[in-house]
Amino acid sequence: MIKRVLPCSKRQLFDAWSKPSVMMQWFFKSQQPSAPSTVNSSFTVGGRFEVIMHLQTGDYRHHGDYRAISRYSHIAFTWNSHLVQSSLVELHFRELSPHRSELTLTHTLLPSEEVRTKHVEGWNGCLDNLERFFTDQLPLDQRH
């Protein structure tokens, strides 16, 4: 489980996980991708998604299907990659103030401690990029 407080509204946070045009701008684990991620998504329960991260070391495909969507508060989806098949990611969004929201990301059904560690590193890299994405949208006097 990873918790982060991000400089955005709950709606902005939800949109960052549900709109491919926004996801492609932050959904990669490296700070220096070779290109924005390629994101395809049918954002409905039962719909599928695909994220291809274009990193210096190659292209990495992640895909799954949406299991639950509760507008602006919760998203659950399966997660498949070269490391894992049929794991589950759950996102919970909680607004703390109009411009601060808490994200709780829980990734379960990982096959080993090694795979779990690699995913924690990957998710933290992605969430660092997400925080940078939101911070870059703030007026200069509101950036920390």
Side-chain angles (χ1 to χ4, degrees):
M1 179 187 303
I2 300 170
K3 285 190 179 212
R4 288 280 183 105
V5 175
L6 298 159
C8 61
S9 69
K10 187 167 74 166
R11 181 180 186 138
Q12 289 172 305
L13 186 54
F14 184 88
D15 288 350
W17 286 92
S18 61
K19 293 184 175 183
S21 62
V22 179
M23 293 169 70
M24 66 184 283
Q25 298 179 60
W26 67 267
F27 208 145
F28 39 85
K29 69 177 190 171
S30 167
Q31 289 187 25
Q32 300 290 321
S34 57
S37 290
T38 302
V39 179
N40 296 298
S41 174
S42 175
F43 189 67
T44 59
V45 173
R48 299 197 52 76
F49 74 90
E50 175 184 62
V51 175
I52 302 172
M53 297 178 188
H54 305 289
L55 307 178
Q56 304 296 335
T57 54
D59 292 347
Y60 298 89
R61 180 176 181 258
H62 306 83
H63 61 96
D65 59 271
Y66 293 103
R67 295 291 173 91
I69 299 170
S70 181
R71 200 159 218 38
Y72 309 127
S73 61
H74 176 248
I75 302 171
F77 51 90
T78 60
W79 182 261
N80 303 282
S81 71
H82 63 289
L83 294 175
V84 66
Q85 296 298 307
S86 300
S87 62
L88 182 67
V89 176
E90 291 195 70
L91 308 171
H92 291 276
F93 310 101
R94 186 168 68 97
E95 194 157 271
L96 304 174
S97 70
H99 301 291
R100 286 182 67 237
S101 295
E102 180 182 74
L103 167 68
T104 302
L105 183 154
T106 306
H107 194 160
T108 56
L109 305 177
L110 296 168
S112 70
E113 188 62 28
E114 178 186 357
V115 169
R116 188 190 74 77
T117 298
K118 288 183 179 201
H119 278 84
V120 168
E121 290 170 6
W123 284 122
N124 277 316
C126 289
L127 296 178
D128 289 346
N129 292 327
L130 180 58
E131 184 170 0
R132 211 172 356 270
F133 170 78
F134 284 125
T135 299
D136 289 348
Q137 294 183 351
L138 293 173
L140 288 176
D141 63 339
Q142 292 181 22
R143 296 181 190 183
H144 51 272

